[in-house]
Amino acid sequence: MAAQISVIIPTLNRFDDLKAFTPTLVRQTVKPQELVIVDAGTLDTIEPMLRSELKGSGIDLVYIRAEPGTSSQRNKGINAAKGDFFFFFDDDVLLEPDYIEKSMDCFDNDPQMPLPLGGVMGTFKEFPKVSRYKTMYKHLFQITHETDELPPIILPSGAARWAIDPSNIIQIPVCGGGRVVFRKECFEDEQWDSFLPGYTASEDVELSYRISKRWSLVQTPYARLHHKHSPVSRTTFDDRTARLLYARFYFFRKHMPRDIKHLGSFALSMVAASVMWSTTSILQGDKHSMKGAQGVLKAGKLCFTDLFNK
């Protein structure tokens, strides 16, 4: 019997983005058996639109209403899904026609690794261009960044170094939650952690790091997708800054060693990241020039509250 595949997508008021995504799912050379949509929005047009788009495709729609929260929405999707493999996508991506096929090829041709293969992450067709100096800054101070010059790892600071476009299938320490497939068995003892209400930054890193203790994870350059970065339902710059910084604090506190090397790397990285985010909006010279600094202050309050409560 062929493996059963479920696609799980949390969404929030992104009608146009889902309408653009669905045809790229229908055109897959290997189709899923079901699309699980966990909708935290207020639009009553999304479900009928999806049923119309999926009509005749052989893909069943499982439509669930939920409260906003990326992690909690994905957990609801897991509980409702019937597949053997769970594909997680953001609602503003577009898939290449063989995305699912190329991802599943990795499981069919399971590479020799110390642990069985549990998750496969695809590769974006393009990454936003980042200046050479900003990349060097992130590398020097161990801030999360993308590169093809060095292997992907979790740095001593707790930040992730991602591979932009590997030439072959490579082992990776963590996966991005908007372009990954996991075996169902990965969730027997794990779920997405809702450590922030609503939009939970870097929850994909935290979950996949836990999964990597029992399963191998890989990135394939053969499964491609485009991320549109929809402006709909985006949080403000200061809120995103606060959540990203707090997520780094949360991950480090939960998972990383507390020796001098790691603590020093983490402290330096957090200071450098705070400076970077504070100055980014100022250098843009717009009316929101203080948003980055406001986000850093919010992150500080979140971190100190966490320390005080625990």
Side-chain angles (χ1 to χ4, degrees):
M1 180 178 177
Q4 301 293 295
I5 296 171
S6 299
V7 170
I8 301 172
I9 300 180
T11 190
L12 181 65
N13 294 329
R14 288 184 175 173
F15 178 95
D16 290 336
D17 296 298
L18 282 173
K19 187 174 178 61
F21 164 80
T22 309
T24 72
L25 184 66
V26 170
R27 289 195 295 266
Q28 289 296 298
T29 54
V30 172
K31 290 184 175 62
Q33 280 64 49
E34 62 180 1
L35 169 61
V36 182
I37 295 292
V38 187
D39 188 358
T42 58
L43 303 177
D44 59 6
T45 54
I46 286 179
E47 182 181 6
M49 177 274 290
L50 290 170
R51 293 198 182 281
S52 176
E53 293 289 332
L54 293 175
K55 188 175 181 180
S57 68
I59 303 171
D60 294 331
L61 176 66
V62 179
Y63 183 81
I64 303 168
R65 286 284 190 177
E67 293 297 316
T70 311
S71 292
S72 60
Q73 286 175 255
R74 285 177 174 145
N75 288 335
K76 286 182 179 296
I78 290 170
N79 294 334
K82 299 175 182 176
D84 305 304
F85 294 86
F86 298 156
F87 278 80
F88 294 92
F89 295 120
D90 288 337
D91 53 8
D92 58 350
V93 301
L94 302 172
L95 307 177
E96 289 292 283
D98 57 355
Y99 185 94
I100 291 179
E101 178 183 355
K102 295 300 184 183
S103 296
M104 294 303 295
D105 281 348
C106 296
F107 293 104
D108 294 336
N109 303 292
D110 198 342
Q112 295 299 313
M113 293 184 181
L115 296 172
L117 182 60
V120 177
M121 184 176 74
T123 299
F124 291 125
K125 293 176 66 177
E126 64 285 309
F127 264 89
K129 291 184 178 180
V130 179
S131 72
R132 178 185 177 190
Y133 298 105
K134 192 170 186 177
T135 300
M136 291 173 61
Y137 181 88
K138 290 181 176 182
H139 172 73
L140 177 63
F141 293 108
Q142 296 189 25
I143 302 169
T144 296
H145 62 285
E146 301 83 24
T147 179
D148 271 340
E149 298 177 1
L150 296 168
I153 59 171
I154 294 294
L155 298 161
S157 67
R161 185 171 70 208
W162 302 91
I164 295 176
D165 190 8
S167 57
N168 292 297
I169 297 171
I170 59 171
Q171 189 166 8
I172 54 177
V174 291
C175 295
R179 49 170 171 150
V180 64
V181 52
F182 290 112
R183 293 183 186 271
K184 178 181 181 179
E185 291 84 358
C186 292
F187 297 97
E188 289 179 351
D189 300 308
E190 308 290 353
Q191 281 200 324
W192 300 82
D193 193 345
S194 298
F195 54 83
L196 278 169
Y199 169 67
T200 309
S202 299
E203 77 287 346
D204 45 6
V205 172
E206 198 280 325
L207 169 79
S208 56
Y209 187 78
R210 282 186 275 127
I211 289 176
S212 72
K213 302 304 178 183
R214 297 175 56 189
W215 301 88
S216 292
L217 307 173
V218 299
Q219 179 176 353
T220 174
Y222 308 116
R224 296 276 182 167
L225 74 168
H226 171 66
H227 192 188
K228 298 188 298 177
H229 295 281
S230 173
V232 179
S233 300
R234 290 279 176 193
T235 56
T236 59
F237 185 80
D238 57 319
D239 190 55
R240 290 197 302 275
T241 299
R243 289 170 182 269
L244 285 167
L245 289 172
Y246 175 74
R248 284 285 316 288
F249 166 84
Y250 181 88
F251 179 88
F252 186 90
R253 193 165 186 226
K254 185 173 181 179
H255 295 295
M256 300 300 288
R258 306 294 179 85
D259 55 38
I260 294 176
K261 173 186 176 181
H262 289 87
L263 286 169
S265 297
F266 170 72
L268 184 61
S269 177
M270 288 292 280
V271 170
S274 297
V275 171
M276 181 184 71
W277 287 111
S278 296
T279 57
T280 294
S281 54
I282 294 174
L283 292 174
Q284 288 174 349
D286 58 24
K287 61 180 180 180
H288 304 296
S289 61
M290 295 306 296
K291 288 291 186 180
Q294 291 169 2
V296 170
L297 291 175
K298 286 182 180 180
K301 291 179 181 178
L302 287 170
C303 294
F304 280 113
T305 299
D306 198 347
L307 285 170
F308 181 77
N309 289 337
K310 295 181 180 180

